[in-house]
Amino acid sequence: MNMMPTTNRVIPVILCGGSGTRLWPLSRPDMPKQFQSIDDSGRTLLQHTLERVSDPIMFAPAILVTGEQHVATAREQAAAIGARLDVVIAEPCARNTAPAIAAAARVVDARRSGDVLFVTPADHLIADEASFLKAVAAATASAKSGRVVTLGIRPNEASTAYGYIRADTDLVICGAHPVSRFIEKPEADVAAWMIRDERNLWNAGMFMMRADVARAEFRSLNPVLEMTADAAVRAGETVFGTLHLDPTIYQTAESISFDYAVMEKTEAAVVLPVDMGWDDVGSWDAIWRVTPQDAHGNATVGHAVAEDCRDTLLVGGDRLVTAVGAEDTIVVETEDAVLVAKRGDSQSVRRIVDALKARNATEVERGARVSRPWGDYESLEQDDGFQVKRIRVVPGGQLSLQYHHHRCEHWVVTRGAATVTVDDKVHVYHPGESVFVPKGAVHRLENFTAEPVEIIEVQIGDYLGEDDIVRVEDVYGREERPAELAVV
């Protein structure tokens, strides 16, 4: 076992991927649940996770691993709560947890190989944070010794939604137990039997290990994946504190979970049983369960009122949501969609998502606000021949240098100092000032300030689709593409 000298630093590696369709319509691939608030705290799940690892004595600044399109959102949410970030690793495509962890381990190992990584999803809730911190402290000692530690949750119900870990409780190694076996999500009768055995724990997908140990395990158990992650990091480009993994290399990585790639094969795996009020909030039933309820079992989030209801969840967004006489019902309102479902059967939301996909409904993938690496945009109004958008560019963000075949654009700055390129002219515009972008003109919008830039864009033309964009240059490493394939 590798006994390389270690440090006292624990580096959080927060995995911010996933499509989040089980919580549709709030969560969608363009803005999945980790970036959404599911309670009345005003904090998103990512922000809750960042706050959980914010103790500067126990944790070093965090590493975020997220999709290329979510970098701006992740950074903005971290900055909003003053979270300390080390680096954001941008994945050009989704490849599950093993490649993401391999890339993060490569980044840390290049600097201080003995540092301990604490890998955690960004979209889980933990009610008892004192027990969480105690568990991390206990697991750190085991990780420093060269073990690969996973936190196993003591189950409180016969859930079929989670995988299980069986601990060998007859042995104790640095405060943790060897892993006897991993068990896939069981059927209901099997789960009911399993929770009667205290050796069986929920698999929460949280791991601790030294960076050098992680890389050694990958080299031993999945060497091709390790080489691919290493190459994608080395060939990647760092822009504004974000490491953009090389897209050509990273897309060749096997899409595989860390459980399959390492945990189920390694002899170094140990599990630490914990009871800390953990929930992966993976369904609307879970949201109802973790949300405070009135005397009749009704839970409300946002702008919502329940009257003479029982065991009902109401989630209000921009509009007031009300219900009278509802029982065992879930109602979720967003800017562009409303979901009504039977409580206890919210996993069936996937059927609605599949039906919408079959109809090519855009509401499946994105909401009214669309995330991009440089910020986001929102369509405010659209009719024949015109569209009005609100565009927001985060500090350091810049759109691709591009032109359009079918439309011209009028931009009015409403916030910040916008640097605008139109053909060979570059000018900084301030609130109240405007600029005209003719059809065919090569143009770009940039934000070189520390504050967000917002503009109102009016598009006029015979075709206004997002595919009428020809990229000339892009700082995020996205390929220049022909107009019929390009995205902003």
Side-chain angles (χ1 to χ4, degrees):
M1 188 177 300
N2 193 336
M3 294 299 291
M4 181 173 290
T6 64
T7 70
N8 291 322
R9 305 198 316 165
V10 173
I11 301 180
V13 176
I14 301 177
L15 306 180
C16 303
S19 60
T21 53
R22 288 184 297 169
L23 288 181
W24 186 89
L26 180 67
S27 176
R28 312 185 198 191
D30 190 70
M31 191 66 72
K33 69 172 181 174
Q34 60 266 28
F35 303 116
Q36 304 283 358
S37 175
I38 62 168
D39 56 28
D40 289 327
S41 70
R43 294 283 201 256
T44 66
L45 288 170
L46 171 60
Q47 289 173 325
H48 282 306
T49 303
L50 285 165
E51 289 178 330
R52 201 176 298 135
V53 295
S54 63
D55 183 347
I57 296 176
M58 179 177 290
F59 298 103
I63 294 174
L64 302 185
V65 187
T66 192
E68 189 78 62
Q69 72 274 29
H70 296 135
V71 169
T73 301
R75 283 197 166 278
E76 183 179 36
Q77 292 192 2
I81 61 171
R84 301 171 303 136
L85 293 186
D86 180 340
V87 65
V88 176
I89 300 176
E91 295 181 289
C93 54
R95 283 297 180 267
N96 214 315
T97 55
I101 294 171
R106 166 62 174 78
V107 169
V108 175
D109 185 50
R111 299 183 305 201
R112 296 171 67 107
S113 60
D115 282 350
V116 172
L117 309 179
F118 170 57
V119 179
T120 179
D123 56 356
H124 295 178
L125 282 181
I126 294 176
D128 186 351
E129 295 199 0
S131 293
F132 162 76
L133 295 174
K134 184 178 179 180
V136 170
T140 299
S142 185
K144 284 183 177 180
S145 74
R147 297 285 173 176
V148 182
V149 190
T150 184
L151 302 186
I153 308 300
R154 296 191 185 279
N156 54 26
E157 63 175 343
S159 175
T160 60
Y162 308 135
Y164 287 71
I165 303 169
R166 180 168 296 166
D168 183 354
T169 54
D170 293 333
L171 295 175
V172 179
I173 302 174
C174 295
H177 303 290
V179 173
S180 175
R181 62 177 295 200
F182 287 84
I183 303 167
E184 295 293 334
K185 297 175 182 178
E187 297 295 330
D189 57 340
V190 176
W193 170 80
M194 287 178 62
I195 66 169
R196 293 196 291 267
D197 188 335
E198 65 178 10
R199 296 176 299 170
N200 296 323
L201 308 163
W202 285 339
N203 185 354
M206 291 184 280
F207 311 100
M208 293 194 73
M209 72 212 91
R210 295 201 323 250
D212 62 301
V213 169
R215 297 198 70 198
E217 293 293 337
F218 276 117
R219 281 194 294 268
S220 172
L221 303 172
N222 200 321
V224 174
L225 177 58
E226 163 62 20
M227 288 189 293
T228 303
D230 175 69
V233 170
R234 286 189 287 106
E237 183 179 5
T238 300
V239 180
F240 302 119
T242 297
L243 169 62
H244 300 270
L245 299 173
D246 183 271
T248 303
I249 297 173
Y250 196 72
Q251 69 180 355
T252 67
E254 180 183 6
S255 181
I256 185 172
S257 71
F258 187 71
D259 282 324
Y260 285 138
V262 173
M263 293 302 292
E264 296 189 9
K265 301 175 182 178
T266 180
E267 296 181 357
V270 296
V271 58
L272 180 70
V274 294
D275 186 358
M276 54 188 183
W278 171 89
D279 199 305
D280 80 338
V281 288
S283 68
W284 287 114
D285 286 321
I287 301 299
W288 173 80
R289 185 174 60 245
V290 301
T291 303
Q293 300 168 7
D294 65 18
H296 302 291
N298 301 307
T300 60
V301 178
H303 203 24
V305 177
E307 185 66 29
D308 195 25
C309 296
R310 290 188 179 276
D311 300 325
T312 289
L313 172 67
L314 304 180
V315 180
D318 289 347
R319 292 168 290 183
L320 172 65
V321 173
T322 64
V324 179
E327 294 186 10
D328 293 318
T329 302
I330 293 169
V331 181
V332 182
E333 181 271 338
T334 65
E335 294 172 301
D336 62 340
V338 176
L339 169 72
V340 180
K342 181 179 179 180
R343 195 187 64 77
D345 191 31
S346 69
Q347 294 288 353
S348 63
V349 168
R350 290 180 176 178
R351 296 204 301 269
I352 285 291
V353 172
D354 290 341
L356 291 172
K357 286 181 178 179
R359 301 183 183 188
N360 296 316
T362 59
E363 289 86 354
V364 172
E365 295 295 325
R366 61 176 64 99
R369 178 172 291 184
V370 179
S371 179
R372 287 290 181 258
W374 41 260
D376 56 56
Y377 71 85
E378 179 181 5
S379 181
L380 303 178
E381 183 73 25
Q382 184 171 5
D383 207 336
D384 291 341
F386 81 92
Q387 180 173 206
V388 181
K389 287 184 176 180
R390 177 187 290 113
I391 296 176
R392 191 173 58 89
V393 185
V394 297
Q398 49 185 297
L399 282 67
S400 58
L401 189 64
Q402 59 186 253
Y403 62 91
H404 311 295
H405 288 299
H406 300 281
R407 68 177 184 249
C408 63
E409 296 174 344
H410 297 262
W411 295 353
V412 179
V413 179
T414 59
R415 180 183 180 189
T419 300
V420 176
T421 299
V422 180
D423 288 330
D424 59 348
K425 296 181 180 180
V426 180
H427 187 76
V428 178
Y429 294 86
H430 298 90
E433 297 180 328
S434 63
V435 59
F436 174 64
V437 181
K439 181 168 62 176
V442 176
H443 60 279
R444 170 181 275 164
L445 173 62
E446 301 172 271
N447 180 7
F448 293 116
T449 73
E451 300 295 329
V453 162
E454 293 186 4
I455 71 166
I456 298 298
E457 175 183 88
V458 180
Q459 303 174 356
I460 299 176
D462 56 7
Y463 180 71
L464 305 174
E466 288 300 300
D467 50 359
D468 180 30
I469 297 171
V470 182
R471 272 196 212 124
V472 178
E473 181 181 292
D474 186 74
V475 299
Y476 302 105
R478 298 174 295 179
E479 296 178 1
E480 293 98 35
R481 308 179 208 180
E484 63 270 18
L485 297 178
V487 293
V488 67

